[in-house]
Amino acid sequence: MEDNNKKKVQQDEIVSKADLERLELLQRAHEKKGKQLTIDGQSGSLREIDELRELVGKQLENPEEKYNIYYGGIRKLLMDHLPKGEEAKELRSIIYDEKNIFLNLGKRKCDGGGVRGSDGRMTFQPVMNEILDIIIKWVGSSQNPFELYRDFYMLNERHEYQHEEYDDTTASVANAMLVLGDNV
């Protein structure tokens, strides 16, 4: 009987040691979440890197870069190269609406009673870069506003964004720009 008790105590100790090892591993794994030791290639010393901070730092957008893309790129190029004057105001407005629908990820003014409820200057940098690429290509080629409208329109179509709803006269201008853009 005494041998059975000794074996039972030894089994309890073995289980307890295994449980303690597991618990210790779990605690250690929980201590340094997202940190890793690495060898510095230049000095040969060990240093700890915080992988989570580096990952988050790469994902955050750069406000200064966004400002430059929007104001120094998108807005400036459109203001410099679209037709000027009161007679071209409606044309510019329609082009800006298509641009803003894309920058605002499909939000339209007509859905909010004239208020978009979003600001294209604050959109994601890859979205800004995509529209800037279209504008740069347009400036470098035809600078025909009808082609730019068509490019913005087709960009919104690819992303399945609806287009702005206008009164009859503005809608006919938008449709004419699509037709003229295809024929140019």
Side-chain angles (χ1 to χ4, degrees), residues 1-9 11:
M1 184 82 154
E2 226 174 272
D3 285 334
N4 285 343
N5 284 341
K6 275 187 176 179
K7 285 182 183 177
K8 184 161 171 72
V9 169
Q11 282 180 334

PDB file of all heavy atoms in Angstrom, residues 1-9 11:
ATOM      1  N   MET A   1       0.810  -1.183   0.000  1.00  0.00           N
ATOM      2  CA  MET A   1       0.000   0.000   0.000  1.00  0.00           C
ATOM      3  C   MET A   1       0.861   1.257   0.000  1.00  0.00           C
ATOM      4  O   MET A   1       0.519   2.218  -0.655  1.00  0.00           O
ATOM      5  CB  MET A   1      -0.893  -0.076   1.246  1.00  0.00           C
ATOM      6  CG  MET A   1      -1.856   1.016   1.338  1.00  0.00           C
ATOM      7  SD  MET A   1      -3.190   0.543   0.303  1.00  0.00           S
ATOM      8  CE  MET A   1      -4.477   1.364   0.977  1.00  0.00           C
ATOM      9  N   GLU A   2       1.950   1.194   0.763  1.00  0.00           N
ATOM     10  CA  GLU A   2       2.836   2.326   0.837  1.00  0.00           C
ATOM     11  C   GLU A   2       3.465   2.607  -0.524  1.00  0.00           C
ATOM     12  O   GLU A   2       3.686   3.766  -0.883  1.00  0.00           O
ATOM     13  CB  GLU A   2       3.939   2.043   1.870  1.00  0.00           C
ATOM     14  CG  GLU A   2       4.138   3.211   2.790  1.00  0.00           C
ATOM     15  CD  GLU A   2       5.109   2.875   3.883  1.00  0.00           C
ATOM     16  OE1 GLU A   2       4.663   2.363   4.898  1.00  0.00           O
ATOM     17  OE2 GLU A   2       6.303   3.129   3.641  1.00  0.00           O
ATOM     18  N   ASP A   3       3.758   1.568  -1.309  1.00  0.00           N
ATOM     19  CA  ASP A   3       4.322   1.739  -2.654  1.00  0.00           C
ATOM     20  C   ASP A   3       3.327   2.459  -3.568  1.00  0.00           C
ATOM     21  O   ASP A   3       3.708   3.289  -4.387  1.00  0.00           O
ATOM     22  CB  ASP A   3       4.690   0.387  -3.260  1.00  0.00           C
ATOM     23  CG  ASP A   3       5.963  -0.183  -2.648  1.00  0.00           C
ATOM     24  OD1 ASP A   3       6.783   0.629  -2.170  1.00  0.00           O
ATOM     25  OD2 ASP A   3       6.114  -1.401  -2.673  1.00  0.00           O
ATOM     26  N   ASN A   4       2.038   2.101  -3.438  1.00  0.00           N
ATOM     27  CA  ASN A   4       0.998   2.763  -4.243  1.00  0.00           C
ATOM     28  C   ASN A   4       0.917   4.252  -3.910  1.00  0.00           C
ATOM     29  O   ASN A   4       0.729   5.079  -4.791  1.00  0.00           O
ATOM     30  CB  ASN A   4      -0.365   2.105  -4.014  1.00  0.00           C
ATOM     31  CG  ASN A   4      -0.481   0.776  -4.723  1.00  0.00           C
ATOM     32  OD1 ASN A   4       0.306   0.487  -5.618  1.00  0.00           O
ATOM     33  ND2 ASN A   4      -1.435  -0.035  -4.320  1.00  0.00           N
ATOM     34  N   ASN A   5       1.015   4.570  -2.616  1.00  0.00           N
ATOM     35  CA  ASN A   5       0.973   5.980  -2.204  1.00  0.00           C
ATOM     36  C   ASN A   5       2.171   6.749  -2.744  1.00  0.00           C
ATOM     37  O   ASN A   5       2.048   7.892  -3.147  1.00  0.00           O
ATOM     38  CB  ASN A   5       0.932   6.093  -0.668  1.00  0.00           C
ATOM     39  CG  ASN A   5      -0.448   5.761  -0.117  1.00  0.00           C
ATOM     40  OD1 ASN A   5      -1.419   5.794  -0.860  1.00  0.00           O
ATOM     41  ND2 ASN A   5      -0.517   5.435   1.161  1.00  0.00           N
ATOM     42  N   LYS A   6       3.369   6.116  -2.729  1.00  0.00           N
ATOM     43  CA  LYS A   6       4.562   6.771  -3.250  1.00  0.00           C
ATOM     44  C   LYS A   6       4.414   7.040  -4.746  1.00  0.00           C
ATOM     45  O   LYS A   6       4.773   8.100  -5.234  1.00  0.00           O
ATOM     46  CB  LYS A   6       5.801   5.889  -3.012  1.00  0.00           C
ATOM     47  CG  LYS A   6       6.416   6.054  -1.661  1.00  0.00           C
ATOM     48  CD  LYS A   6       7.707   5.284  -1.632  1.00  0.00           C
ATOM     49  CE  LYS A   6       8.422   5.502  -0.319  1.00  0.00           C
ATOM     50  NZ  LYS A   6       9.674   4.757  -0.252  1.00  0.00           N
ATOM     51  N   LYS A   7       3.887   6.027  -5.480  1.00  0.00           N
ATOM     52  CA  LYS A   7       3.703   6.195  -6.920  1.00  0.00           C
ATOM     53  C   LYS A   7       2.703   7.317  -7.204  1.00  0.00           C
ATOM     54  O   LYS A   7       2.890   8.114  -8.113  1.00  0.00           O
ATOM     55  CB  LYS A   7       3.211   4.885  -7.550  1.00  0.00           C
ATOM     56  CG  LYS A   7       4.290   3.847  -7.667  1.00  0.00           C
ATOM     57  CD  LYS A   7       3.752   2.615  -8.340  1.00  0.00           C
ATOM     58  CE  LYS A   7       4.838   1.542  -8.384  1.00  0.00           C
ATOM     59  NZ  LYS A   7       4.337   0.311  -8.968  1.00  0.00           N
ATOM     60  N   LYS A   8       1.638   7.376  -6.417  1.00  0.00           N
ATOM     61  CA  LYS A   8       0.628   8.409  -6.609  1.00  0.00           C
ATOM     62  C   LYS A   8       1.216   9.789  -6.332  1.00  0.00           C
ATOM     63  O   LYS A   8       0.974  10.743  -7.091  1.00  0.00           O
ATOM     64  CB  LYS A   8      -0.567   8.152  -5.706  1.00  0.00           C
ATOM     65  CG  LYS A   8      -1.699   9.135  -5.926  1.00  0.00           C
ATOM     66  CD  LYS A   8      -2.967   8.593  -5.381  1.00  0.00           C
ATOM     67  CE  LYS A   8      -4.075   9.579  -5.369  1.00  0.00           C
ATOM     68  NZ  LYS A   8      -4.652   9.944  -6.564  1.00  0.00           N
ATOM     69  N   VAL A   9       2.015   9.929  -5.288  1.00  0.00           N
ATOM     70  CA  VAL A   9       2.662  11.204  -4.971  1.00  0.00           C
ATOM     71  C   VAL A   9       3.619  11.592  -6.086  1.00  0.00           C
ATOM     72  O   VAL A   9       3.670  12.748  -6.514  1.00  0.00           O
ATOM     73  CB  VAL A   9       3.383  11.114  -3.594  1.00  0.00           C
ATOM     74  CG1 VAL A   9       4.285  12.321  -3.383  1.00  0.00           C
ATOM     75  CG2 VAL A   9       2.384  10.979  -2.469  1.00  0.00           C
ATOM     76  N   GLN A  11       3.418  10.662  -9.258  1.00  0.00           N
ATOM     77  CA  GLN A  11       2.614  11.044 -10.430  1.00  0.00           C
ATOM     78  C   GLN A  11       2.058  12.456 -10.251  1.00  0.00           C
ATOM     79  O   GLN A  11       2.052  13.244 -11.178  1.00  0.00           O
ATOM     80  CB  GLN A  11       1.456  10.062 -10.640  1.00  0.00           C
ATOM     81  CG  GLN A  11       1.864   8.769 -11.275  1.00  0.00           C
ATOM     82  CD  GLN A  11       0.674   7.837 -11.451  1.00  0.00           C
ATOM     83  OE1 GLN A  11      -0.310   7.917 -10.713  1.00  0.00           O
ATOM     84  NE2 GLN A  11       0.787   6.957 -12.425  1.00  0.00           N
TER      85      GLN A  11
END
